[in-house]
Amino acid sequence: MINCIAKGFTEAGRGKPNQDSILVKRIDDSVTVIAIADGMGGKSGGDVASRIAVTTISNEVDASNFSISSIFQKVKEKIEERAIECQNIVKWGQH
């Protein structure tokens, strides 16, 4: 058995808001999920997208049988759904 300590922090780029999100979630004694969702350098919607990504990952890894590819597909779908719902974020990924 390997014991490790996970710790994370993010830092905003020069003059830009921090849009990054981090997840460290222990599933059981042998599995810990660590995810880092990088924002989009201050571009519109980056903070929302990174939060959706780590929240979705956290929810999906609770299932006893999951695959990385299915989780990434779910993240993509959730971000696309949110982009459609958000009228105030007109063009995600743009300044």
Side-chain angles (χ1 to χ4, degrees), residues 42-79:
K43 294 181 180 178
S44 181
D47 56 336
V48 176
S50 71
R51 281 194 309 272
I52 290 170
V54 296
T55 300
T56 303
I57 292 167
S58 179
N59 293 340
E60 292 297 310
V61 297
D62 282 339
S64 60
N65 196 4
F66 65 87
S67 74
I68 299 298
S69 61
S70 68
I71 289 174
F72 285 151
Q73 181 61 37
K74 186 78 156 193
V75 167
K76 179 181 179 290
E77 290 168 5
K78 293 280 189 182
I79 291 171

Side-chain angles (χ1 to χ4, degrees), residues 23 27 38 54:
L23 170 69
I27 304 301
D38 192 21
V54 296

Side-chain angles (χ1 to χ4, degrees), residues 3-68:
N3 291 318
C4 84
I5 297 171
K7 181 179 178 181
F9 69 93
T10 66
E11 187 172 288
R14 196 176 300 163
K16 297 178 182 172
N18 188 347
Q19 298 182 324
D20 305 337
S21 298
I22 295 176
L23 170 69
V24 178
K25 183 172 186 174
R26 185 178 176 148
I27 304 301
D28 59 36
D29 287 341
S30 64
V31 177
T32 299
V33 173
I34 300 172
I36 302 166
D38 192 21
M40 296 187 297
K43 294 181 180 178
S44 181
D47 56 336
V48 176
S50 71
R51 281 194 309 272
I52 290 170
V54 296
T55 300
T56 303
I57 292 167
S58 179
N59 293 340
E60 292 297 310
V61 297
D62 282 339
S64 60
N65 196 4
F66 65 87
S67 74
I68 299 298

